[in-house]
C-alpha cells in the first residue's frame, strides 16, 4: 500500500486539469505541464482533486502508483506556485551576475564562466552570492541547479 499514492492531489482554483489520451495536462498562471500516464494506474479528476489508483495488485501497478501521484502533484504545484531552488556561493571572490539570458559566474578561474539559462527558467541574483532558480517544471529547475553547481 503506497502511503504517497493514497493521498489525492488537490487542484487549486486557478488550475485547470484535463486527462486526454493517457496524458494529464495542467494549465495555470505559470504555464502548462503534461504528465504521461501509464496503463498500470488509473487517474481520475473528481471534486477538485486528482485521484490515482493502481489498476490491480501487481508489483508494477503498486510501484507506479506513488510515482504517478508525485508527478501529477509536481505538475499541479508547478503551474500554480512554481518550484524554486536557492544556491549560495561560498568562497573568496565568488560572485554571480545576470547579463541578458546568461548567468555570469566568477568562480576563482582566470576567466568568467557563462551559463545560458534554459527557456522556462527564471534566475534572480541577490547580493552577488545568492542565486534563486524559479520555474514551473521541477525537473528542469533541479537540472539547472545541478548544472550550475557542477561549474566549479
Amino acid at each position: 500500500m503506497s502511503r504517497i499514492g493514497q493521498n489525492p492531489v488537490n487542484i487549486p482554483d486557478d488550475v485547470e486539469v484535463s486527462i486526454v489520451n493517457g496524458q494529464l495536462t495542467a494549465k495555470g498562471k505559470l504555464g502548462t505541464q503534461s504528465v504521461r500516464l501509464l496503463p498500470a494506474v488509473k487517474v481520475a479528476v473528481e471534486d477538485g482533486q486528482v485521484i490515482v489508483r493502481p489498476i490491480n495488485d501487481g508489483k508494477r501497478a503498486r510501484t507506479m502508483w506513488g510515482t504517478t501521484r508525485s508527478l501529477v502533484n509536481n505538475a499541479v504545484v508547478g503551474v500554480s506556485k512554481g518550484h524554486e531552488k536557492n544556491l549560495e556561493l561560498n568562497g573568496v571572490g565568488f560572485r554571480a551576475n545576470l547579463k541578458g539570458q546568461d548567468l555570469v559566474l566568477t568562480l576563482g578561474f582566470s576567466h568568467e564562466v557563462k551559463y545560458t539559462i534554459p527557456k522556462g527558467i527564471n534566475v534572480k541574483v541577490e547580493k552577488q552570492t545568492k542565486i534563486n532558480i524559479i520555474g514551473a517544471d521541477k525537473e528542469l529547475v533541479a537540472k539547472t541547479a545541478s548544472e550550475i553547481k557542477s561549474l566549479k
Side-chain angles (χ1 to χ4, degrees):
M1 192 87 165
S2 173
R3 284 185 259 164
I4 294 173
Q6 292 176 0
N7 302 327
V9 177
N10 293 322
I11 303 171
D13 294 334
D14 59 344
V15 176
E16 180 182 322
V17 176
S18 62
I19 300 172
V20 178
N21 295 331
Q23 192 147 22
L24 181 132
T25 304
K27 294 180 185 175
K29 63 183 177 184
L30 298 179
T32 302
Q33 291 286 315
S34 295
V35 176
R36 188 177 63 106
L37 301 175
L38 299 173
V41 293
K42 178 183 170 189
V43 180
V45 178
E46 301 172 2
D47 299 328
Q49 296 180 329
V50 178
I51 310 288
V52 180
R53 295 230 164 28
I55 58 166
N56 57 31
D57 202 28
K59 184 174 182 174
R60 174 79 174 158
R62 287 183 289 120
T63 303
M64 297 314 297
W65 182 15
T67 302
T68 302
R69 190 261 180 212
S70 292
L71 292 173
V72 169
N73 186 52
N74 289 343
V76 170
V77 170
V79 298
S80 63
K81 298 178 191 171
H83 298 284
E84 181 177 355
K85 287 274 187 179
N86 297 316
L87 302 178
E88 184 176 352
L89 296 175
N90 289 321
V92 176
F94 285 17
R95 292 188 308 270
N97 293 313
L98 281 175
K99 289 186 182 174
Q101 278 297 319
D102 290 334
L103 179 65
V104 180
L105 300 164
T106 304
L107 299 172
F109 299 121
S110 61
H111 59 283
E112 294 179 333
V113 178
K114 290 185 181 180
Y115 178 78
T116 303
I117 301 167
K119 186 177 180 184
I121 296 292
N122 293 326
V123 174
K124 295 179 184 174
V125 176
E126 299 175 10
K127 295 199 284 184
Q128 293 187 343
T129 58
K130 295 187 188 273
I131 303 169
N132 292 340
I133 303 165
I134 303 164
D137 187 359
K138 187 173 185 177
E139 183 179 356
L140 186 58
V141 169
K143 180 182 175 207
T144 302
S146 175
E147 289 174 351
I148 292 171
K149 285 182 194 177
S150 71
L151 293 175
K152 177 61 181 167

